[in-house]
Structure formats: C-alpha cells, structure tokens
Amino acid sequence: MPERFPPALPFTALEYLTGLGRVHGLGRAAARSAAREWLDRFGIGEHTRTRLSELSKGTSQKVAVAQGLLSNPELLVLDEAWTGLDPASRTVLDDAVTARVAAGATVVFVDHDTRRLAGAPDAVFRVAQGRVSPVAGTGRTEPRVRVEAEGPSGAELPAGLPEGTVREPAAAPGAVRLTVAAASSDALLRALLTARPPWHIRAVTTVAPRGRAEPMTALLSYQTALLLRSHRWLPPLLLYAAFMFIGVRTGQPILDSFGYAAAALVPVTAWLVRVCVTNEPEAARDCAAAAAGPWRVHLSAVLTGLLASTVVGVAATAVVAAISEPRSSDHQVDVPVGEATAA
C-alpha cells in the first residue's frame, strides 16, 4: 500500500478493487464480494459507484488500504497506511494486520508512531540519519500456533483464553481457528478441553503461508479497461483511420491496399503499446506488480497494446477485402480474396 495513492484512475472504487482482486487471483464473484466487504468495513460502502477521481483524500486512502487487504496477502507492505485515517479506520487496519499475522502472513509497516501495534511486531527497526538499526527490547519473537476447534452447538468460546488469541472462522460448520503465541498454546488447549462442555480439538498446527495463482487473464482485463477508459487509444485510431481514408480506395488492387494498410499499422501498433505501458500511474502499477509480479504486469501491458492493434488491423483487413479489386497490380491476374485476406 503506497503512501500516496493515485486517484486519477478511470474506475469507480468497486470496479478498481474488483479488478485488483482478480489480479490477485480471486474469482470475479469473490473479488467483488471482498471489495464490498472492505469498503463497508472502512465505512465507505456508499462510495462503491463513486469514481476514484471524485473521492476525498481520506476516502481514497481507505480504498488504497482495502486493495492491499482484500486478497488476504502472504506479504503486506504498508507505507504510513494509518496516517490520515480516522480512529475507526485505524482500528479496522490494526485488526486486519493482527489477523493477517495470525494467519501466517508477514506484515512490514512504516509508521511515525512508535506505539503502533506495540508489542505485536516480531522485530522493530528505527531509521535515523540514513541508518537502519534494530530497537533493543522490542518485538515479539515467539512462533505462532493455530488450533482448530469445534464446540457444542451454539456455545460461546470459553472464558480465560490467553491474551493475544486471534479468532477466525474455520471451513467446518461450528468450528473456529484460534491462533496464539506458541508459549500460550498449552493454556489455550487447556481452556478449551476443560470447558463445560469441552470443545473438540480438530487440529493443532504451526502457522504456514499458502500459495496462490495470479491469472494473466485478469491482468489483461484490467489493462484493457484502463486503456479503454483513458481514451488514449483515440489519437492512434484516428491517425490510422486518416491513413486508410487517404490511401485506400474502392477498386484498387487488393494486394496493394493490403500492403498499405499493413505498413500504416506498424507505427500505430508501437503507439498503442507505448500508451499501455505508460498508462498506469506509478503507485497503482506498484500495487498491481505486488499482486502479480512486475514482469507479468509489464507483459500484460505490452500484450494489451498488441491486442488492441490486432483488433484495428482485423477491421482494416475486412474493409480492404470488401472494397478492393481482387486482381494483381497490373490488373492481369486474378487474386483469390480468401487467401489474400488470410495472408
């Protein structure tokens, strides 16, 4: 999550978060659901259909935080994410960070408030005068243990759970996942087993991250939407249309017209690729790169430009095939339209 999030993206808050969720590997329905959930948790659910450029600075920052959290990342990097948030949103972010760590993720954050999540980090470093140094006597070094337990129907968690226990829902109905420091795991198990009635312990595991996939199709969809809504495709398209209007006439030899149309498409393709590669603001591109990797993001931008030029080229090919004379340049030899068009 960057310190300064670019609002000049041509999406609504819900559309942007859904797109980034898909880039992170979520399905369309899951990404949209997660986007709505985080917008609601940060108290900005009424802005789902508001364009990012119309949001206030504080609301934009909440969207920025949400895009980092909605896919439950294994690595979360927060650059002064709490700055500018209202107290309620800071609490939401505190809870989100605690939950991610409990689930086995790594969270790295920068903040000017040395009390931020006091006692929770595994390691604390101070940056001063160009030097990074560890802060002695701070941080939490204990490993974490996850207990999956199932209680009697309708039963609340027993009292006396160790301090710092984090609760998450489990897949099985009626079950919960409780994560705690390894040193407190015995106390947690004792509290569950000695409850009346006792809880059933389904599994005890050390915390470990899970892998996920980043589909290229989601990146291509995101880049395509970014290109179409930016309207930066319009100048190269108009330029190509002007080339075609000037150089292609009804009744001209088909191969000559195809050659002209193909030659004019080359600079237009380069223009479209450059538009796609430079279209996304740097901070937003960093968010996408964090989700799928820099090379995937760059490749998706290049492919989007090439695909856009392919669409233009196919349309031009259809026009040339429809209006040109199927003969050679000297009008002496018949040219098969199908074979020439395919070539």
Side-chain angles (χ1 to χ4, degrees):
M1 191 237 128
E3 178 184 1
R4 299 183 183 278
F5 182 75
L9 287 168
F11 301 105
T12 65
L14 181 61
E15 289 170 341
Y16 175 69
L17 291 179
T18 301
L20 262 290
R22 293 192 65 213
V23 170
H24 272 283
L26 301 177
R28 183 181 296 276
R32 193 174 184 85
S33 175
R36 288 186 180 277
E37 177 187 348
W38 280 108
L39 289 172
D40 288 340
R41 288 180 66 174
F42 280 110
I44 54 174
E46 70 275 13
H47 292 295
T48 55
R49 299 184 182 278
T50 305
R51 293 177 68 88
L52 295 176
S53 58
E54 298 172 3
L55 297 176
S56 66
K57 181 179 179 182
T59 304
S60 294
Q61 183 163 346
K62 293 177 184 179
V63 174
V65 177
Q67 66 81 22
L69 295 170
L70 56 86
S71 65
N72 295 326
E74 296 174 15
L75 172 63
L76 182 63
V77 182
L78 304 173
D79 182 3
E80 300 190 33
W82 287 265
T83 304
L85 293 180
D86 55 79
S89 296
R90 291 179 183 178
T91 301
V92 171
L93 183 53
D94 285 346
D95 293 342
V97 169
T98 302
R100 290 313 310 137
V101 173
T106 298
V107 180
V108 181
F109 68 90
V110 179
D111 201 80
H112 288 289
D113 186 355
T114 57
R115 299 167 298 177
R116 180 72 59 210
L117 295 172
D122 296 290
V124 179
F125 298 86
R126 175 175 287 115
V127 181
Q129 298 178 346
R131 295 177 179 271
V132 181
S133 56
V135 179
T138 61
R140 188 199 68 226
T141 59
E142 308 99 321
R144 307 286 284 175
V145 170
R146 176 183 296 146
V147 176
E148 185 168 330
E150 184 177 352
S153 178
E156 297 290 333
L157 281 172
L161 297 184
E163 184 178 355
T165 300
V166 177
R167 175 180 178 176
E168 292 181 298
V176 295
R177 288 176 179 170
L178 302 171
T179 307
V180 72
S184 302
S185 60
D186 286 348
L188 173 60
L189 291 170
R190 189 179 303 113
L192 294 171
L193 293 171
T194 58
R196 291 293 178 265
W199 282 58
H200 172 62
I201 307 301
R202 299 172 60 91
V204 179
T205 58
T206 55
V207 172
R210 296 186 297 267
R212 67 192 312 117
E214 302 88 0
M216 180 61 74
T217 53
L219 277 170
L220 290 173
S221 176
Y222 171 71
Q223 292 287 352
T224 300
L226 197 61
L227 173 64
L228 292 176
R229 297 181 185 213
S230 71
H231 300 294
R232 292 180 64 188
W233 52 268
L234 196 55
L237 181 63
L238 292 177
L239 175 65
Y240 189 64
F243 266 95
M244 292 291 291
F245 181 77
I246 294 170
V248 178
R249 289 285 186 270
T250 301
Q252 285 182 341
I254 189 170
L255 296 181
D256 291 356
S257 295
F258 272 145
Y260 181 87
L265 188 62
V266 173
V268 171
T269 300
W271 192 348
L272 284 170
V273 170
R274 186 179 186 280
V275 165
C276 291
V277 170
T278 62
N279 203 25
E280 194 174 12
E282 184 177 356
R285 190 179 181 89
D286 289 341
C287 293
W295 73 268
R296 286 190 179 91
V297 174
H298 188 72
L299 178 61
S300 68
V302 173
L303 289 177
T304 299
L306 293 176
L307 289 173
S309 66
T310 299
V311 171
V312 174
V314 168
T317 300
V319 171
V320 170
I323 69 173
S324 298
E325 182 183 12
R327 289 182 176 275
S328 60
S329 298
D330 57 6
H331 300 275
Q332 299 300 313
V333 180
D334 290 336
V335 176
V337 176
E339 293 181 14
T341 302

